[in-house]
Amino acid sequence: MGSKIAKAIIGTTAGVGLALYGVPACVSALGFTAAGIAAGSIAAKMMSAAAIANNGGVAAGSIVAVLQSVGAAGLPVAAKIGLSSTLGWLGGQVGALFF
């Protein structure tokens, strides 16, 4: 039983790490950076499509706007709490079952 608890703790730690470090890293890898949207990136293509769809502007609250906000300023505290809670729980479940 103790081994299953240890595995769940390892899985939970991995899930929280994914939430706090993996999500911002993925957003940055898409091209949403602190310096703006990287030229030639997936983010640039998304921004172009959003601008075309909205007659030249990117709508506030759109997925492009939200991802750029995350890329520039990081995740808000509420998002960190929500993602940590969800991915931590999921990681614990996976860890207990498969490790």
Side-chain angles (χ1 to χ4, degrees):
M1 185 66 171
S3 175
K4 191 170 186 174
I5 291 172
K7 291 175 184 179
I9 290 170
I10 291 169
T12 300
T13 303
V16 171
L18 176 66
L20 296 179
Y21 299 104
V23 171
C26 288
V27 169
S28 179
L30 288 173
F32 297 99
T33 67
I37 292 180
S41 66
I42 292 172
K45 291 178 177 82
M46 289 175 66
M47 184 174 181
S48 174
I52 290 169
N54 290 308
N55 296 320
V58 176
S62 68
I63 189 70
V64 174
V66 170
L67 289 173
Q68 181 53 40
S69 175
V70 170
L75 291 171
V77 173
K80 287 180 182 178
I81 291 170
L83 283 170
S84 295
S85 298
T86 303
L87 293 177
W89 175 84
L90 184 62
Q93 298 302 312
V94 170
L97 290 175
F98 297 110
F99 292 120

